[in-house]
Amino acid sequence: MSRRNSTASTRRQFRVATLVLTLAASLMVGQLAMAAEPAVTSLRLGALFPQSGDLAFGAADALQGVQIAVELFNETNEHGITVELVTADAPNPAGGAAGVRQLVTANRADVIIGTYASAIASAAAPAAERLGIPYVESTAFAEGITRNTGNVIRTTISSGALGAAAMDFVLTGLAERLEVAEADMRVALVYTDDEFGVSIADAALARLNESPATLVLQESYPAATTRDLSSVLLRLGQTEPHAVVHIAQVPDATLLWRQAQQLDVYMPAVVGAGGGYGQAQFAAALGPNVNGIFNVVPPTSGSINTEALSPEAQELLRELRERVAERGWNQGNYTDWAFMGAWVFLDEILPRANSLSVDDLMAAAAEVEVDALDSITGFGFEFIPAGEPNSGQNLRAIPVVQQWQEGTLDVVYPEELAVSEFINVPLPTWGERTEQIGD
Amino acid sequence: MQLALQILVNGLLLGGLYALLAVGLTLIFGVLRVVNFAHAEFMMLGMFGVYWVWHLTGLDPYLAVLVVTPLVLLFGIVCDRLIIQRTIGAPEVTVVFATLGLSIFLQNAALTLWTADIRSVTTAYSGMVLTPFGLRVSVPMLISFTVAMLAAAGLWLVLTRTLYGKAIQAVAQNREAAALMGIDVRRIYLWTFSVAVAAAGAMGGLIAPLFTVYPRVGISYIVTVFVIVVLGGLGSVPGAVLAALLIGLIEAAAGFLFGAAWAELSYFLIFLAVLIARPQGFFGRRGAEVFAGR
C-alpha cells in the first residue's frame, strides 16, 4: 500500500470516527434532553376499582395505594410530569366495562389503572383495548388478563405463576417438611368456579401433572352462592390428602374451616392461593385455629425484611406508611401492590414513553428493570415486550409462601426470603386444637 | 351407612336454615300477594344486628337474637307503612320493583353504614358438636334447625287454630269480602309482613355464629328460598318446610355424590321436574294465588 493511499485511508477513518463521535454525542445530548424533558408531560389517570358491592372492602386499600402513589409522584417527580387522577366504580364485570367507557369518554382518561378483581379486570381490559387505551393492572391475577389482550401492563403476579408456585411448594418444600416423598404426595384441589379460582387452579393442575404426585380430589363450587361445604369436606375426609390447595374468598374459606371443625375432617396442611386466605377477616374468624395455614401471594412490605431494601425503597415505604397513617387508612397487601404498581408505572415507564399510546407505553415498559430490593413489595419489575406471549406481564413478580403465625402472615418459603420458621406442620388434629384453645 | 346418615343430617340441618326464611316469604306472598325480593336483606339485618350487639356488649349471640328480632319487626312495620302498603293492589311489576328497590337500598345502606368488611361472630361453641351414634351434629346448626321448626309449627298453629289466623286466611282468600266482614285488612297486612320479616331477622341472628356477615350475604340465599317457596306451593307453610328440607338434602347428597359444582344444579333439575308434573308445587293449589296456611 502506498503512503498516499495510507494517508487517504487514515483521513477516511478519522472522518468516520468523527462522524460516529458526533452522532454518539448527539444521541447522548438527545438522551439527556429526553431525561430532563420527557415526551409525556401530563397524564389523566383513570383508577377503576370496586367502590361498592362485595369487593369494595379489599379494593378500597388498592385505590388508596394508587391515590398515594399519584400524590407522591406529583410532589416529588423531577420530570415535570403532572398526573390527574379520576376514578370510577367497578362493582362487577359489567360495571368494569361501563367504568372504562365512563373514564375514557366522560373523564377523558389517557390510561386506566385497576382493578382488584380478576373477573372485573377480564372485562375491563378488553373494553379499554377496544378504545385504544393502555391498561395498568396492579392487583388482579387472572392469567387471561395479559394473555388475551395487547394493551395491559401488569405489575403484579399472574394466576399462572401463583397456581404453579402454590403447587410447587406443596410438592417440594411442604412435602419435605411433611416427610412424604413427592411421588407419594396426595393432593386435593378445591377452588371457586369464577375466573380467579379457575385460572389459578388450572396452573396448579398443570404443575401437578408434571409430578408423580397424585391428585386425589378436584372440587369447584360457586363462590357467590355457596352456604354449605360439608359435601366437599366429606369427600376430603374420604380421600385423606396430605395437602389441600384451596382457592377461596373470605366467606367460603371461613365456611370450609368452620365446617371442617364441626365434621372433624382433618387436613394435614392447607395452602391458600391469594384471595380470602390472606385477609385479616379470615384470621379473625378462625382465631387460634388459623395458625399454621399457608397462603401463597406476591410479597408485601408487611411480610418481608424491609431493612434489606435499598435506602430509596425504604424512603418510599416510609412515605407510604406516613400517608396511610395520616388518613387513618389500613395498609393491607393490596395497598402495597397497587401503590408500587402505580409508582413503577409513573416513575419508571411514563418518563421513558414517547407518547401515551399503547405501543409506546408497552415499549417503555419493556425497557424497565427494577431490582427486588428497590421495591417496597420485595419483588422487582421487568415486563415481557409487546408481540411476545403474555406481553406486559411482570416477569419478576414472584410469589412467596406465607404462614399464619400468631395472627400474622410471615414469609416461610423460599428459605432465602423467609422471616420465620414453619410451625404446625402437619397441622394439629381438631382434638389437639381444642386442647390448645382450652389451655 | 354412617356416611349416608351423616349426609342426611347435614342436609336436614341445612334445610332447617332455609325453612325459616321460606316460611316468611311464602306467608307474605300468600297473604299480601307481594313477591318480597328484599326478604333476605332482613336476614342480613338480623345478622348485622346480632354481630353488633355481640361485638359491642359481649352479649351471647343467641341472647342478642332476642334483642334484635323485635328491632327487625319494628323496621318491618316501617317498611310496610312506607312501601308495602302503598303497593297493595298496584300492578305486579310495581310490587316487584318496589321490593327489588328495597333490597338494593338495604344492601347499599348496610354497605354505607358498616362498610363491605366481612365480619364474623366467634364463640366458644361455634365448633361444638354432638356425636349421637357416631354422627357429628353441629350445635349451632341444631339450635337454628330447632328454632326454625318450632317457629314454623307455631306459625302454622296460629294460622289454623286461632281467630287471628282465620282472619289472615280470610284476607288471603278475598280481601274485599274480609273487609266487609269487619276484618282490618291493613292491620293484617302490617302484622303479616312484619312478623315474616322478623322471622327472617331471627334466622339471620341464629346463623350469625355459623356464617360470615357482610352486606350482600342475602344474595346467596334469596334464589334458593324462592325455589323452596314455589316448590312447596305458594302460600303453604308446611309446603315451604318440606321443600326446604328436601332442597337441603338434595344439596348435601348431590354435592357428595357428584361434586359441589352439581349441588345447585341438581336441585334446580328436580325443581323443574316437580313443576312439570305438579305446577302448583307440593301443597299449592292450581293457580297458586290462594293462601291456605296448610
Side-chain angles (χ1 to χ4, degrees), chain A residues 52-348:
Chain A
S52 62
D54 289 345
L55 302 170
F57 87 98
D61 288 356
L63 177 58
Q64 288 158 5
V66 171
Q67 286 170 331
I68 293 174
V70 169
E71 178 186 291
L72 189 60
F73 182 76
N74 279 332
E75 288 174 16
T76 61
N77 89 84
E78 294 169 354
H79 311 290
I81 302 173
T82 54
V83 180
E84 184 184 350
L85 190 69
V86 288
T87 67
D89 186 13
N92 49 43
V100 167
R101 287 193 293 274
Q102 179 201 318
L103 286 170
V104 175
T105 56
N107 303 118
R108 292 178 288 112
D110 304 304
V111 177
I112 293 174
I113 187 167
T115 318
Y116 180 72
S118 291
I120 299 170
S122 298
E129 188 175 31
R130 286 192 289 274
L131 297 170
I133 297 294
Y135 199 101
V136 179
E137 184 48 67
S138 62
T139 40
F141 299 160
E143 189 78 10
I145 297 168
T146 45
R147 193 181 53 212
N148 303 332
T149 57
N151 65 326
V152 177
I153 296 167
R154 175 157 48 193
T155 54
T156 191
I157 196 170
S158 72
S159 57
L162 194 67
M167 193 56 78
D168 192 63
F169 167 65
V170 167
L171 300 172
T172 55
L174 183 59
E176 185 184 336
R177 189 54 66 109
L178 287 167
E179 297 179 351
V180 178
E182 182 180 342
D184 297 331
M185 278 294 283
R186 298 165 58 79
V187 184
L189 184 59
V190 182
Y191 54 98
T192 55
D193 64 3
D194 52 8
E195 172 85 18
F196 173 77
V198 171
S199 57
I200 295 175
D202 284 348
L205 273 176
R207 172 65 182 87
L208 184 67
N209 289 336
E210 295 169 2
S211 161
T214 306
L215 178 71
V216 295
L217 183 68
Q218 181 183 350
E219 279 271 15
S220 67
Y221 59 86
T225 56
T226 291
R227 302 156 296 263
D228 176 48
L229 290 170
S230 64
S231 60
V232 173
L233 285 158
L234 290 178
R235 283 161 73 99
L236 272 175
Q238 283 204 318
T239 51
E240 296 183 349
H242 292 110
V244 179
V245 176
H246 187 200
I247 303 149
Q249 299 301 330
V250 174
D252 42 316
T254 307
L255 182 64
L256 184 94
W257 280 94
R258 281 189 168 165
Q259 290 198 308
Q261 187 178 19
Q262 287 160 10
L263 295 169
D264 194 26
V265 173
Y266 176 58
M267 298 177 281
V270 176
V271 180
Y277 275 81
Q279 305 286 342
Q281 290 89 350
F282 171 68
L286 265 66
N289 290 318
V290 81
N291 292 326
I293 296 172
F294 295 102
N295 185 42
V296 180
V297 287
T300 63
S301 64
S303 64
I304 59 170
N305 176 17
T306 54
E307 289 178 8
L309 298 178
S310 68
E312 292 78 14
Q314 289 193 35
E315 174 62 17
L316 200 59
L317 180 58
R318 189 186 60 75
E319 286 281 359
L320 174 63
R321 282 178 173 162
E322 280 183 7
R323 289 167 195 247
V324 165
E326 275 172 16
R327 291 161 174 83
W329 289 346
N330 167 57
Q331 188 177 341
N333 293 352
Y334 284 92
T335 317
D336 278 16
W337 296 327
F339 170 82
M340 198 61 213
W343 184 259
V344 165
F345 173 70
L346 296 172
D347 198 52
E348 296 286 343

Side-chain angles (χ1 to χ4, degrees), chain B residues 28 32 34 42 73-88 102 185-194 197:
Chain B
I28 291 173
L32 282 74
V34 168
F42 290 93
L73 186 135
L74 283 175
F75 186 64
I77 291 172
V78 173
C79 290
D80 182 75
R81 283 286 167 88
L82 292 179
I83 300 165
I84 304 300
Q85 295 269 353
R86 294 166 197 272
T87 65
I88 302 296
L102 179 61
V185 174
R186 291 173 68 88
R187 194 177 178 81
I188 294 287
Y189 282 172
L190 177 76
W191 284 109
T192 303
F193 183 81
S194 307
V197 299

Side-chain angles (χ1 to χ4, degrees), chain B residues 29-43:
Chain B
F29 181 83
V31 178
L32 282 74
R33 317 280 162 79
V34 168
V35 180
N36 184 19
F37 282 102
H39 202 65
E41 271 58 60
F42 290 93
M43 180 199 81

Side-chain angles (χ1 to χ4, degrees), chain A residues 51-58 91-92 190 193 218-236 238 249-252 254-255 258-265 279-287 430 434 437, chain B residues 3 6-7 10-11 14 18 108 111 115-123 126-129 136-138 140-141 207-212 214-217 219-222 224 248 251-264 267:
Chain A
Q51 294 172 50
S52 62
D54 289 345
L55 302 170
F57 87 98
N92 49 43
V190 182
D193 64 3
Q218 181 183 350
E219 279 271 15
S220 67
Y221 59 86
T225 56
T226 291
R227 302 156 296 263
D228 176 48
L229 290 170
S230 64
S231 60
V232 173
L233 285 158
L234 290 178
R235 283 161 73 99
L236 272 175
Q238 283 204 318
Q249 299 301 330
V250 174
D252 42 316
T254 307
L255 182 64
R258 281 189 168 165
Q259 290 198 308
Q261 187 178 19
Q262 287 160 10
L263 295 169
D264 194 26
V265 173
Q279 305 286 342
Q281 290 89 350
F282 171 68
L286 265 66
W430 287 110
T434 306
I437 294 166
Chain B
L3 193 60
Q6 185 65 62
I7 293 168
N10 293 346
L14 182 63
Y18 299 150
N108 285 283
L111 197 65
T115 75
D117 279 4
I118 294 170
R119 302 161 202 272
S120 52
V121 175
T122 48
T123 62
S126 285
M128 193 179 285
V129 291
R136 297 190 66 84
V137 182
S138 159
M141 288 283 274
I207 64 170
L210 292 163
F211 299 99
T212 43
Y214 50 99
R216 286 159 64 88
V217 66
I219 289 174
S220 63
Y221 287 83
I222 193 66
T224 307
E251 207 174 325
F256 179 79
L257 293 172
F258 311 121
W262 283 84
E264 270 191 342
Y267 71 67

Side-chain angles (χ1 to χ4, degrees), chain B residues 8 48 81-82 86 150 246:
Chain B
L8 183 75
F48 265 111
R81 283 286 167 88
L82 292 179
R86 294 166 197 272
L150 288 175
L246 183 70

